[in-house]
Amino acid sequence: MINEDKKVNANSKNEQLEYFRSADSEDKELTTNQGVKLSEDEVSLTAGERGPTLMEDFHFREKMTHFDHERIPERVVHARGFSAHGEFELYESMKPYTKAKFLQNPNVKTPVFTRFSTVVGSRGSKDTPRDVRGFATKFYTEEGNFDLVANNFPIFFIQDGMKFPDVVHAIKPEPHNEMPQASGAHDTFWDWVSQNQESAHMVMWLMSDRAIPRSFRMMEGFGVHAFRFVNDEGKAHFVKFHWKPVLGTHSLVWDEAEKLGGKDPDFNRRDLWESINMGNYAEYELGVQILEEKDEFKFDFDILDSTKLWPEEDVPVRIIGKMTLNRNVDNVFAENEQVAFHVGNVVPGIDFTNDPLLQTRLFSYTDTQLLRLGGPNFHEIPINRPVCPFHNNQRDGFHRQTINKGQVSYRNNALAGNSPHTVDEKNGGFAHYQEKIEGRKIQSRSKSFEDHFSQAKLFWNSMSNAEKQHIIDGFSFEVGKVQYKPVQQKIVDMFGKVDHGLAAAIAQKLDVSVPPANIQSKVTKASPALSQENTPKLAETRKTAVIISDGFNGAEVKKVIENLQTAKVQVAILSDRLGSITADDNSTLKAKHTFLTDSSVAFDAVYIAGGTKADKMFEKKAKMFMQEAFDHFKPIAVSNEGEQWFKEKQLPSKTGVVINKQQPDDFSKQFIDAIAAHRFWDRSIS
């Protein structure tokens, strides 16, 4: 265990976890859980060779009982997730705004654990559905654990947690037939949306590219709620938290996401796992939007409304630090499944606001962990333990691990000198921010929460033409799966209040009536920060398939690969078989991928170099690979036989297609620039 007087640093959590690790792959003697060495582990004890199994076989009973109880209830939402360890490094002190110690000293690195997740699907569902993504981070600070329980959207479906069971029930598989899995493309969800128009803004995000992220490493995170920073003088500011991926925010295309769900349902988790193992760590800068309390009512929306964002052009995001995820988990169950996040886990200097959705979440997280993890001691599970000491008079319960010595388990007491004792605020004790509250007990919401369409229109105005088309396609697919025609009409009418052109386009796809133009929102403002077209675009860590057959141009291909790797692009050699592929100069490259094991949806770009000994089947497979990459707007490079195959496919030489008409270095540079651009939306699909 960690020593109580030891200073917390970036390695503190790893050192703490080391106590609990077991290297089972080492040469160990097989024993029962009680330490009894075993001579047999594959045959149960029976009365004779063909007789019944005997109850006295204690090892069989122990082994089978443990197996029968291996599973715990999966999360109701966010069941499908994957995690990694890392560290957080502060760029500048936030002392003027908060007394939280981990936000004071740029020289201190704080250990963190982050879990990414989908929301709707079960634990065994795919990584790439159209869905919100969770982005939850546990900071193991010297003052206790701070959990930033974020999503990859800055807003939510509802304004009050009273509706949370309803939206989840509606979007989950329909109870009469348990379909569809991990999808909102069905009647009950869209029926709920049509009856709850506060969801309009969130649904716009859900139909956008943001709902199908390319990678956890290329996904923004948002704390959603307005929190408070409180400094040493007791002065408070409203704050919203942002994670900005260093690689930029990028997405899949819908057809690609659907195919990946079948070809590699672990696509996003595999990407994170492999990237960290290769040293391509996931990096995110932490940003904060800070508002003075006097500015609470200066906007045309309520800053405590979780269906609204604070436009970055009005409240700039201040970048204050960076998180680096640099170590994979050792055991998915022990860490990823047993980690317990809670929006109520805060430290001195961070406090809550009256956001009604936030307030209800403060109850729900503890409640769900009690069921999932078997009792009140889930904080003692290694992944959840703070790295600072903890002492209180809480005792007993399921899975208690602490052995508390002494006769006293209450306050106030004289027998133990009133230990453990409270700590005043000046010495680090948490003190709730004092806010004057007056009012009647009432079940009603402020009129400042009533505008449901202005920010939905702001989002629409901020999209590029390609992004707008993707939103129309998203609606057309999802609502097109609805069987009850009146619900389709209600959805089109509802989003006619956002934008008439949007509604008309959806109506045409669904064969329903177009709502009148005069009901659309009058908002003309845009927020460029909301468009992924304005995100950083880098070639680093992008996966490129290099397709070669025997007889490929060895000098050229090896030079291009060298240039790609210098630019930190991941290169995968793909052919019709695994193993060595021989070049025209008798050198070889080893193929670790084939047309059977991988397809273009697994890569960000493709370089088809060909080979003089490629047969007709190889040509056919290479052309199919090229066509699919082209249809998904990905960068393509072709040379030698690859150029001929490209011409035979009669694909237009639009942007993002690099044909080798120059020296390998220039060819490589053009291709690397195309890889960085990510997609080429102006390309015609043939």
Side-chain angles (χ1 to χ4, degrees):
M1 297 293 183
I2 238 171
N3 193 305
E4 291 195 5
D5 61 3
K6 183 174 181 179
K7 191 70 173 174
V8 172
N9 59 51
N11 295 316
S12 295
K13 189 60 185 179
N14 190 38
E15 293 167 1
Q16 184 193 60
L17 290 174
E18 186 60 34
Y19 177 87
F20 299 95
R21 293 190 180 108
S22 175
D24 297 325
S25 60
E26 296 176 0
D27 186 21
K28 300 286 181 65
E29 294 178 325
L30 182 65
T31 74
T32 68
N33 287 333
Q34 309 305 316
V36 177
K37 295 177 183 178
L38 293 166
S39 61
E40 174 58 59
D41 186 47
E42 297 182 20
V43 180
S44 58
L45 184 68
T46 60
E49 289 186 351
R50 300 183 71 249
T53 299
L54 301 178
M55 287 296 292
E56 69 180 78
D57 189 346
F58 60 89
H59 173 48
F60 166 76
R61 285 187 284 113
E62 178 192 89
K63 184 177 180 180
M64 188 56 67
T65 298
H66 194 282
F67 174 75
D68 291 342
H69 293 259
E70 280 182 0
R71 295 295 175 263
I72 62 175
E74 68 175 33
R75 292 166 171 86
V76 176
V77 288
H78 298 279
R80 174 75 176 178
F82 206 64
S83 305
H85 294 270
E87 61 187 32
F88 172 73
E89 181 179 9
L90 191 68
Y91 290 162
E92 61 170 313
S93 174
M94 288 286 101
K95 188 176 179 61
Y97 303 100
T98 176
K99 58 186 174 183
K101 284 190 177 180
F102 80 102
L103 296 177
Q104 303 296 304
N105 187 351
N107 295 319
V108 173
K109 292 183 179 181
T110 302
V112 298
F113 185 73
T114 294
R115 185 177 188 269
F116 304 99
S117 57
T118 57
V119 172
V120 178
S122 66
R123 183 182 170 191
S125 59
K126 62 186 179 182
D127 277 355
T128 57
R130 180 178 295 280
D131 197 2
V132 191
R133 299 304 191 278
F135 190 139
T137 300
K138 190 179 291 289
F139 295 78
Y140 301 99
T141 86
E142 63 180 276
E143 295 181 293
N145 291 347
F146 167 56
D147 291 354
L148 179 51
V149 190
N151 286 333
N152 73 323
F153 296 180
I155 52 172
F156 203 62
F157 291 100
I158 51 178
Q159 296 170 330
D160 191 309
M162 182 72 87
K163 289 186 176 183
F164 191 72
D166 300 311
V167 62
V168 173
H169 288 166
I171 201 169
K172 282 283 190 177
E174 297 188 2
H176 67 301
N177 60 15
E178 193 63 15
M179 294 188 286
Q181 178 58 244
S183 173
H186 55 95
D187 287 54
T188 58
F189 174 62
W190 289 99
D191 177 44
W192 182 89
V193 168
S194 71
Q195 303 298 321
N196 292 270
Q197 302 206 353
E198 69 199 71
S199 67
H201 189 194
M202 182 73 167
V203 170
M204 291 291 291
W205 282 74
L206 187 62
M207 294 302 102
S208 78
D209 294 339
R210 298 277 188 154
I212 42 176
R214 156 62 180 86
S215 165
F216 295 142
R217 299 178 296 117
M218 303 171 194
M219 186 176 82
E220 278 190 277
F222 304 89
V224 178
H225 305 292
F227 288 84
R228 276 192 174 93
F229 272 165
V230 183
N231 65 16
D232 286 316
E233 287 71 45
K235 180 176 175 58
H237 290 79
F238 294 108
V239 62
K240 282 202 172 191
F241 296 101
H242 295 247
W243 288 118
K244 301 281 189 181
V246 172
L247 294 175
T249 307
H250 301 282
S251 296
L252 302 168
V253 296
W254 179 237
D255 181 67
E256 182 182 26
E258 288 283 86
K259 289 176 178 176
L260 278 166
K263 291 176 181 290
D264 186 4
D266 303 309
F267 179 72
N268 287 143
R269 59 171 55 189
R270 188 187 313 281
D271 174 86
L272 182 65
W273 174 270
E274 292 180 348
S275 295
I276 290 175
N277 280 343
M278 288 188 290
N280 295 327
Y281 300 143
E283 296 179 316
Y284 311 84
E285 290 188 306
L286 179 64
V288 290
Q289 289 177 293
I290 298 176
L291 271 180
E292 292 193 50
E293 286 194 315
K294 67 180 179 62
D295 294 330
E296 180 176 0
F297 302 106
K298 69 179 288 188
F299 303 97
D300 58 0
F301 58 91
D302 196 312
I303 68 164
L304 303 184
D305 181 352
S306 289
T307 67
K308 307 296 189 297
L309 54 79
W310 300 356
E312 294 186 25
E313 293 74 22
D314 298 333
V315 188
V317 175
R318 180 174 178 177
I319 301 300
I320 65 169
K322 184 172 75 172
M323 175 173 69
T324 302
L325 300 180
N326 54 19
R327 184 167 63 82
N328 280 312
V329 297
D330 293 303
N331 183 280
V332 172
F333 177 81
E335 296 168 272
N336 181 71
E337 289 306 305
Q338 291 197 123
V339 67
F341 293 100
H342 188 354
V343 71
N345 287 349
V346 294
V347 293
I350 301 176
D351 211 327
F352 313 114
T353 64
N354 295 331
D355 174 342
L357 182 59
L358 171 60
Q359 291 289 320
T360 53
R361 291 179 75 193
L362 293 174
F363 165 78
S364 184
Y365 281 74
T366 297
D367 195 45
T368 192
Q369 307 302 349
L370 291 173
L371 174 66
R372 289 193 63 250
L373 301 174
N377 290 311
F378 56 83
H379 64 281
E380 296 206 54
I381 296 172
I383 194 62
N384 295 321
R385 295 181 70 94
V387 293
C388 63
F390 58 92
H391 307 285
N392 53 55
N393 293 309
Q394 297 169 19
R395 296 289 187 271
D396 308 339
F398 283 107
H399 310 137
R400 185 70 172 181
Q401 297 176 47
T402 301
I403 300 173
N404 299 99
K405 297 187 295 183
Q407 68 186 111
V408 173
S409 58
Y410 55 87
R411 294 195 71 243
N412 293 316
N413 66 73
L415 296 177
N418 209 21
S419 180
H421 59 81
T422 58
V423 180
D424 63 38
E425 185 177 359
K426 290 183 179 179
N427 289 306
F430 188 94
H432 292 274
Y433 178 70
Q434 295 187 16
E435 180 184 12
K436 184 177 181 181
I437 300 292
E438 292 181 350
R440 298 175 179 270
K441 288 189 290 185
I442 187 172
Q443 288 187 299
S444 182
R445 186 63 57 223
S446 167
K447 290 185 180 298
S448 58
F449 281 63
E450 290 181 354
D451 177 8
H452 304 319
F453 299 103
S454 292
Q455 287 209 349
K457 183 60 179 287
L458 172 74
F459 183 75
W460 176 257
N461 292 345
S462 305
M463 297 295 99
S464 67
N465 289 335
E467 288 171 316
K468 287 181 177 180
Q469 185 59 52
H470 298 162
I471 292 171
I472 292 169
D473 292 344
F475 273 106
S476 301
F477 174 85
E478 296 269 322
V479 187
K481 292 286 188 177
V482 171
Q483 301 300 306
Y484 189 54
K485 208 68 179 176
V487 168
Q488 292 182 326
Q489 185 64 64
K490 286 181 180 178
I491 291 298
V492 171
D493 292 344
M494 174 178 171
F495 285 90
K497 297 176 183 177
V498 176
D499 183 83
H500 181 260
L502 167 65
I506 303 169
Q508 192 272 329
K509 295 285 188 180
L510 302 180
D511 189 28
V512 298
S513 300
V514 178
N518 61 3
I519 65 171
Q520 73 173 351
S521 170
K522 300 300 190 291
V523 172
T524 58
K525 181 180 176 180
S527 174
L530 301 180
S531 173
Q532 292 186 174
E533 288 300 302
N534 301 319
T535 195
K537 295 179 180 178
L538 304 171
E540 292 181 18
T541 78
R542 294 289 188 164
K543 292 181 67 175
T544 295
V546 178
I547 298 178
I548 55 173
S549 179
D550 288 324
F552 69 91
N553 186 325
E556 175 195 287
V557 170
K558 289 178 181 178
K559 183 60 177 176
V560 171
I561 289 175
E562 178 186 324
N563 290 335
L564 289 172
Q565 291 175 332
T566 299
K568 299 183 179 179
V569 175
Q570 294 181 38
V571 173
I573 307 300
L574 188 147
S575 191
D576 56 351
R577 68 181 191 276
L578 299 175
S580 295
I581 310 298
T582 304
D584 57 0
D585 58 5
N586 290 322
S587 63
T588 61
L589 287 174
K590 185 165 287 188
K592 296 184 179 180
H593 305 263
T594 71
F595 293 119
L596 283 174
T597 62
D598 290 277
S599 68
S600 74
V601 294
F603 301 95
D604 296 294
V606 57
Y607 165 35
I608 302 183
T612 58
K613 297 182 181 180
D615 58 22
K616 292 297 182 183
M617 183 55 68
F618 188 99
E619 288 184 29
K620 179 180 178 181
K621 295 290 187 182
K623 289 175 183 178
M624 290 173 59
F625 205 100
M626 186 189 325
Q627 178 74 64
E628 188 171 53
F630 187 88
D631 290 349
H632 292 154
F633 312 96
K634 295 179 180 179
I636 298 171
V638 293
S639 65
N640 303 305
E641 291 75 25
E643 181 181 353
Q644 180 60 37
W645 300 338
F646 183 83
K647 291 178 180 177
E648 290 171 2
K649 281 297 293 181
Q650 297 183 327
L651 296 173
S653 299
K654 293 286 186 178
T655 54
V657 177
V658 182
I659 299 175
N660 190 8
K661 299 293 186 183
Q662 56 275 322
Q663 294 299 313
D665 285 344
D666 295 330
F667 175 59
S668 301
K669 183 181 185 306
Q670 287 185 32
F671 187 37
I672 291 166
D673 290 343
I675 293 170
H678 182 54
R679 307 278 182 180
F680 297 89
W681 303 120
D682 58 347
R683 183 187 293 167
S684 299
I685 297 179
S686 58

